Amino acid sequence: MTEVSIERLTKTFGSARAVDCISIRIADGEFISLLGPSGCGKTTTLKMIAGFEEASEGAIRFDGKDVVNVPAEKRDIGMVFQNYALFPHMTVDQNLAFGLEMRKIAKPEMRERIAKVLDMVQLGGYSDRYPNQLSGGQQQRVALARALVIEPKILLLDEPLANLDAKLREEMRVFIRDLQRRVGITTVYVTHDQAEAMTMSDRVVVMFGGRIAQIGAPSDIYERPENLEVAQFVGQVNLVKGTITAAAGAGKSRVASVFGEVAVDSRTDHAPGATVTLSLRPEAIELKAAGQGGAQGKVTARYYSGSIIDYRIALDSGETLHVQTFPNIRIAEGDRVSVHAPADGFWLLGAAK
Amino acid sequence: MKRPVFTLYCLLVYAFLLAPILVVVGASFNAGNFLTFPPQGLSPRWYVTFFHNDVFMRAIRTSLWVAAVATVISGTIGTMAALYYVQHAGRWKEAVRIAMLAPLLLPEVLTAIALLFFVYAIGIGTTTMIGMIAGHVLITLPFVFINVSASLESFDPSWDMAARSLGADRLTRFRRIMLPLIKPGVIGGALFAFIISFDTFTISFMLKGIGTSTLPIQLFDYLRTNFTPEAAAVSTVSIVLTLVVVIVSEKVLGLRIHRF
Ligand SMILES: Nc1ncnc2c1ncn2[C@@H]1O[C@H](COP(=O)(O)OP(=O)(O)OP(=O)(O)O)[C@@H](O)[C@H]1O
Ligand SMILES: [Mg+2]
């Protein structure tokens, strides 16, 4: 199918650089998410890939061929919009047939392909409904079917789940991901929801202010964030000050902090004596009863939310920690605790660029 | 307001709006020789007279013809202008809007006189119907423009993008996506245009050529010298014609858009 290569792609609106020299290589069949806060240029990037927005600089290649000068209607892309953009005056069937008619597909084959794709999105009996006779989730699946039925080179989705309620959103994540795997289509997915990007993607592209902050597998982004900004965007994080004591080899440094001296993973090298910031994910921390080693502190708040409990801990050394544990430990607000953090729970953050 | 009071109020408003029409219709079935209400005996005789009156028949044909031509031209230009206004006018938007609505804001007689000067200045004069039709197009244009731009404002640009991504070129997108979705606005505007053109007096009076006459002008001429119930019959027929146009276009073209 199709490999997409984005090279030094830039979009300027007047003097503002909405997308600033980004390069991404998307492998055939890969599911890539563009993740970032509002206004960071995700939609603009997607529109340039689709051909709705002209690139100011740079190249977009589908299988090596530059498509920058190919109009959107000739790029052979399937697009799913946040508001679905189903044609309200056409039935589900007519919506799906539209793209096939444009490709001059013969009637029998058309029928067959529509039936097949409707089956895939589990909307077999709905072909005569108008969009306003469908629920949000069903409209979403019709939009997906309409994009897929033309068997496009790539599938582009712009926050397709933003208008659905929380439960349906989680169902649709899995649904879209499974469908994408089965069809094997190269996919670019735009979202500002980190959990969505994490669960669905092969790789995540984190963007801030029109630039790429990091590209990597979800676990990479989460466990080895490029900088503080990325770490904070993809989840909750505790920041712990430390001092480098020695390089430990193999991308590790020895760092002294309130949790003692540990060998910490890092991407960058630091000279001994340098002051650094360590990130420590809330779920990596272990709480034990007071006096069992580790850093000492006191529980200042406890929030129960079913599958996990959130604790706020005030360490005796002055720092505040955010801790998440399974609800099977019985530690109450006001208790004194020992706080343990394993060496592999830390990550040495690079400075933000 | 209490319910009965409100009902009474509504009835009064309706009476105020519809009573003149009822009086005209009633008077048209007058058996007597003069235009009076209540009628002195019922008879369709004035309709018979009217339908045998060649002058009126010619006027009614002219009116229908002019209205149809003006509606087609005004519908096309008005729709195109609305498209430009909503999608491409950019910073000229307000200027375009005011220019398009100008015929509605200016006194009709002013537009008529200006146009009369114009047709003589460029040498076509009033020997043909071109001047009059131009006038009708001018005064009906704002109605098409208002209706179509209103329906275009609610046209979601992502519909167009979706159609593009599915491979539709510009013309196909206009024909298959945009036009069906703005149809209520176009038809609504065209209906307004037809009715206003059929009904207008000032523009026609100034710009009609010698020897041609539209229905409102013919009626005015007639009433200057006669005062028979035939005038009421003429009015009734013109009311019925207007209704027929509205109902037929509603049924055939569908004013309500599909099912949303
Ligand atoms: N047509 C335009 N003219 C001028 N500026 C624009 C235009 N479209 C987008 N921008 C600007 O470009 C930047 C990126 O916009 P974009 O829509 O790509 O953001 P986004 O990441 O999709 O955000 P969101 O999550 O809110 O959808 C924003 O600052 C926006 O204001
Ligand atoms: Mg966006």
Side-chain angles (χ1 to χ4, degrees):
Chain A
M1 289 172 84
T2 310
E3 186 187 287
V4 180
S5 164
I6 293 166
E7 292 158 21
R8 310 170 63 77
L9 192 62
T10 299
K11 178 73 193 182
T12 50
F13 292 109
S15 62
R17 297 174 88 80
V19 173
D20 194 358
C21 196
I22 65 167
S23 299
I24 315 170
R25 292 185 71 91
I26 309 169
D28 175 26
E30 192 176 22
F31 193 120
I32 281 258
S33 289
L34 304 183
L35 173 67
S38 185
C40 73
K42 307 179 294 286
T43 298
T44 307
T45 305
L46 202 71
K47 281 188 174 168
M48 284 192 282
I49 301 176
F52 297 134
E53 202 76 81
E54 227 175 290
S56 308
E57 277 167 53
I60 301 166
R61 297 180 206 282
F62 293 177
D63 282 333
K65 272 198 290 295
D66 194 347
V67 295
V68 161
N69 293 318
V70 178
E73 54 268 38
K74 299 243 167 67
R75 282 197 196 182
D76 206 11
I77 40 148
M79 179 116 185
V80 178
F81 298 83
Q82 179 175 338
N83 62 357
Y84 321 132
L86 296 175
F87 307 131
H89 60 303
M90 297 185 188
T91 60
V92 168
D93 191 65
Q94 290 164 337
N95 264 281
L96 297 198
F98 189 83
L100 298 174
E101 284 164 22
M102 295 304 118
R103 283 164 176 71
K104 308 218 163 27
I105 307 283
K107 266 267 150 46
E109 189 192 338
M110 196 141 101
R111 296 266 68 81
E112 206 173 294
R113 276 166 73 166
I114 291 175
K116 197 175 113 202
V117 78
L118 274 182
D119 204 45
M120 258 193 317
V121 299
Q122 296 161 16
L123 286 174
Y126 292 81
S127 53
D128 292 329
R129 299 269 191 104
Y130 282 88
N132 72 337
Q133 300 169 319
L134 299 172
S135 74
Q138 289 167 337
Q139 290 183 37
Q140 175 64 76
R141 281 181 281 155
V142 175
L144 204 56
R146 184 178 66 178
L148 287 175
V149 76
I150 57 172
E151 294 172 8
K153 288 201 178 98
I154 51 173
L155 180 62
L156 306 177
L157 305 100
D158 192 356
E159 312 222 14
L161 307 184
N163 290 352
L164 302 177
D165 62 54
K167 192 161 153 44
L168 194 55
R169 199 151 56 213
E170 272 178 40
E171 277 170 33
M172 284 302 292
R173 270 183 209 167
V174 180
F175 183 85
I176 293 179
R177 179 50 167 157
D178 287 351
L179 191 61
Q180 188 269 342
R181 281 234 176 86
R182 246 185 304 155
V183 179
I185 186 171
T186 312
T187 301
V188 183
Y189 188 98
V190 162
T191 181
H192 60 252
D193 179 334
Q194 48 93 13
E196 211 166 283
M198 295 284 193
T199 42
M200 298 176 80
S201 329
D202 293 316
R203 284 192 300 155
V204 178
V205 179
V206 185
M207 292 178 70
F208 291 110
R211 290 163 181 262
I212 294 179
Q214 186 171 2
I215 305 184
S219 59
D220 225 29
I221 303 274
Y222 191 75
E223 290 159 19
R224 303 163 61 82
E226 192 67 43
N227 56 40
L228 178 61
E229 221 177 359
V230 175
Q232 283 176 328
F233 193 77
V234 298
Q236 311 217 22
V237 68
N238 293 298
L239 301 176
V240 179
K241 286 265 171 281
T243 314
I244 304 273
T245 54
K252 282 185 192 280
S253 308
R254 293 197 67 80
V255 181
S257 71
V258 285
F259 293 97
E261 192 174 322
V262 283
V264 176
D265 287 319
S266 75
R267 221 186 292 279
T268 42
D269 283 329
H270 296 269
T275 308
V276 291
T277 307
L278 301 176
S279 78
L280 177 60
R281 293 288 180 194
E283 68 280 6
I285 302 173
E286 205 184 338
L287 296 182
K288 289 183 179 165
Q292 296 193 31
Q296 299 300 308
K298 186 180 165 196
V299 177
T300 54
R302 177 181 182 274
Y303 306 99
Y304 177 81
S305 67
S307 58
I308 51 159
I309 304 182
D310 267 296
Y311 288 103
R312 296 287 182 282
I313 312 285
L315 290 181
D316 296 345
S317 55
E319 279 112 331
T320 327
L321 285 184
H322 176 195
V323 180
Q324 280 180 353
T325 68
F326 299 113
N328 55 4
I329 59 163
R330 298 285 165 212
I331 292 174
E333 219 170 281
D335 287 1
R336 288 200 56 81
V337 286
S338 308
V339 184
H340 292 263
D344 61 7
F346 290 99
W347 169 251
L348 180 49
L349 287 171
K353 272 180 228 156
Chain B
M1 263 190 274
K2 290 231 175 59
R3 218 189 135 75
V5 180
F6 184 66
T7 311
L8 184 70
Y9 172 77
C10 288
L11 284 175
L12 282 174
V13 171
Y14 272 114
F16 178 74
L17 289 173
L18 297 177
I21 294 177
L22 292 178
V23 168
V24 168
V25 174
S28 71
F29 288 101
N30 204 332
N33 285 329
F34 295 100
L35 192 52
T36 52
F37 190 85
Q40 300 152 319
L42 289 178
S43 151
R45 62 178 276 219
W46 292 108
Y47 283 90
V48 176
T49 317
F50 168 53
F51 286 125
H52 284 100
N53 185 334
D54 276 348
V55 182
F56 268 134
M57 284 298 118
R58 220 177 314 126
I60 211 167
R61 272 198 300 275
T62 307
S63 271
L64 286 173
W65 191 77
V66 169
V69 173
T71 300
V72 170
I73 298 175
S74 170
T76 311
I77 299 178
T79 301
M80 294 196 304
L83 272 170
Y84 177 78
Y85 165 71
V86 173
Q87 301 195 324
H88 305 288
R91 62 199 183 90
W92 300 110
K93 222 173 157 176
E94 198 49 31
V96 171
R97 196 173 71 91
I98 289 177
M100 288 306 296
L101 296 187
L104 200 63
L105 306 176
L106 295 174
E108 200 172 313
V109 66
L110 212 72
T111 311
I113 292 170
L115 200 60
L116 191 63
F117 274 121
F118 180 72
V119 291
Y120 275 105
I122 63 167
I124 51 175
T126 52
T127 48
T128 62
M129 298 234 262
I130 293 174
M132 179 159 68
I133 288 173
H136 281 225
V137 168
L138 211 55
I139 58 161
T140 55
L141 213 46
F143 295 92
V144 177
F145 179 76
I146 291 171
N147 273 279
V148 178
S149 27
S151 62
L152 271 173
E153 295 284 4
S154 62
F155 181 87
D156 182 348
S158 67
W159 288 328
D160 192 63
M161 279 198 265
R164 256 188 107 178
S165 76
L166 293 168
D169 59 37
R170 192 181 283 273
L171 190 66
T172 311
R173 297 200 301 273
F174 179 71
R175 225 167 35 78
R176 303 251 339 243
I177 309 293
M178 181 171 278
L179 205 52
L181 288 170
I182 63 169
K183 203 170 84 172
V186 177
I187 292 173
L191 271 181
F192 264 115
F194 188 91
I195 291 165
I196 284 162
S197 163
F198 190 71
D199 199 45
T200 191
F201 181 83
T202 318
I203 286 272
S204 304
F205 191 70
M206 292 283 184
L207 287 154
K208 75 180 184 66
I210 300 188
T212 53
S213 182
T214 63
L215 195 60
I217 291 170
Q218 197 52 52
L219 187 59
F220 174 74
D221 264 358
Y222 181 82
L223 281 173
R224 281 201 297 192
T225 48
N226 309 275
F227 203 67
T228 68
E230 189 176 353
V234 174
S235 306
T236 306
V237 167
S238 98
I239 290 167
V240 169
L241 270 177
T242 311
L243 277 177
V244 165
V245 169
V246 173
I247 290 166
V248 166
S249 29
E250 152 99 81
K251 286 279 178 271
V252 176
L253 300 164
L255 255 190
R256 275 178 314 116
I257 186 155
H258 309 274
R259 296 183 211 184
F260 72 105

